[in-house]
Amino acid sequence: MYSTGKKLLSKIVSRNWLIKNEEVFRGIYSVIYKGNKHQCTVCNKKLSTFISLPGNDLLCPNCGSLSRDRRLWQLEQQYLKPGISMLDFSPSRCLARRLLKRNDINYLSTDLSDNFIARHRFDITNINLADSSVDFITCYHILEHIEQDSKAMAELYRVLKPGGTALIQTPYKKGDIYEDFTITEPAEREIHFGQDDHVRIYSVEGLKQRLENAGFTVAVNTFKEDLYAGLSADETVLILSKQ
């Protein structure tokens, strides 16, 4: 029902108009999910159920958050202290809207496409910011799109202040990192890497090693399932620090 309605609406109105007004539509639609069995950690809406998506992900009908968004929002609250500067790559719209309302932080949202809400268009391999200029970075599901990932990691390290923190997540596989830059066709990339604009699949240890090579201290955190908040089991987030 949700997917069908979304496809139908996208044929009637433009994508930009839909993004601008999606909170209104979601608020109306989420009425049918009113209940007390679950609660979204992003919008705090109490629900009878989350919407099940392909791949077993759970969507909040009210704000549109996925499981990883709700986990990230929880983690971000530990670092979003007044006065900090935050660099956020291609942020989920449900999170960006809330962060943009915070006048007590310097929120630098960035994206090179039109799919996200962003104030800047930084190239992650050549970030137009001064050395050691941001306190906190979130880089969620970005690096698997970047061929020159070591250059991107070096840039993240360069702009992060000493004592700062970065949160990074990508899709993962067991074993070694799998990448093959001779695979360029979108259909082939989807077969090999799981999505037509991905260029690799990291392993947790492989990603950790590359980030450490860039200079970061890396802690691997794997979280438990939380059915009430719609949080997935065994979700792994890398928490980076710069000495």
Side-chain angles (χ1 to χ4, degrees):
M1 180 180 175
Y2 172 79
S3 297
T4 302
K6 186 176 179 181
K7 288 179 182 178
L8 180 61
L9 198 58
S10 66
K11 292 180 180 179
I12 299 172
V13 299
S14 71
R15 180 175 183 81
N16 287 341
W17 189 91
L18 188 58
I19 290 174
K20 184 178 180 180
N21 294 280
E22 72 174 316
E23 285 187 301
V24 175
F25 284 105
R26 289 193 185 280
I28 295 170
Y29 180 74
S30 68
V31 170
I32 64 176
Y33 290 89
K34 185 178 180 180
N36 292 295
K37 292 185 177 180
H38 303 276
Q39 186 172 15
C40 175
T41 62
V42 177
C43 64
N44 294 318
K45 183 80 170 182
K46 290 190 174 182
L47 306 164
S48 60
T49 185
F50 289 97
I51 297 172
S52 295
L53 298 177
N56 298 317
D57 206 346
L58 297 174
L59 180 87
C60 172
N62 186 62
C63 70
S65 64
L66 299 173
S67 176
R68 71 184 190 223
D69 300 323
R70 293 187 288 275
R71 180 85 67 187
L72 175 58
W73 185 249
Q74 281 189 332
L75 292 171
E76 285 177 339
Q77 304 319 301
Q78 302 174 36
Y79 304 99
L80 291 175
K81 308 302 182 184
I84 73 158
S85 55
M86 176 183 180
L87 177 59
D88 198 0
F89 288 88
S90 299
S92 294
R93 295 192 297 271
C94 60
L95 304 189
R97 288 188 178 100
R98 286 159 177 80
L99 292 168
L100 284 166
K101 293 176 182 177
R102 289 207 45 174
N103 296 321
D104 61 335
I105 65 174
N106 179 22
Y107 180 55
L108 303 169
S109 54
T110 176
D111 181 59
L112 294 177
S113 73
D114 295 321
N115 296 323
F116 301 89
I117 300 171
R119 290 173 168 171
H120 303 276
R121 294 178 64 85
F122 296 136
D123 176 353
I124 195 171
T125 65
N126 186 22
I127 303 170
N128 188 24
L129 291 172
D131 295 357
S132 302
S133 57
V134 295
D135 300 284
F136 181 48
I137 298 172
T138 57
C139 184
Y140 255 48
H141 293 257
I142 302 297
L143 292 174
E144 67 273 16
H145 297 263
I146 309 299
E147 287 195 13
Q148 295 179 300
D149 66 334
S150 294
K151 190 174 181 181
M153 293 172 191
E155 278 292 274
L156 294 176
Y157 185 83
R158 179 184 67 79
V159 301
L160 187 66
K161 292 180 181 179
T165 301
L167 304 181
I168 288 185
Q169 187 183 74
T170 71
Y172 301 115
K173 63 180 286 293
K174 293 182 178 180
D176 298 324
I177 295 173
Y178 174 47
E179 58 189 358
D180 183 344
F181 298 128
T182 68
I183 300 172
T184 58
E185 291 298 321
E188 287 296 308
R189 282 181 169 175
E190 185 164 5
I191 292 170
H192 285 265
F193 308 125
Q195 194 165 306
D196 63 12
D197 57 352
H198 288 187
V199 299
R200 72 177 59 79
I201 303 179
Y202 291 100
S203 64
V204 172
E205 284 304 313
L207 177 57
K208 178 176 181 287
Q209 184 61 60
R210 288 192 182 184
L211 289 164
E212 288 176 339
N213 290 344
F216 289 107
T217 299
V218 183
V220 177
N221 287 257
T222 301
F223 298 91
K224 296 180 180 180
E225 183 179 45
D226 183 339
L227 293 176
Y228 180 71
L231 301 176
S232 300
D234 301 323
E235 183 180 5
T236 298
V237 179
L238 274 57
I239 302 180
L240 285 53
S241 58
K242 177 179 177 179
Q243 304 304 317

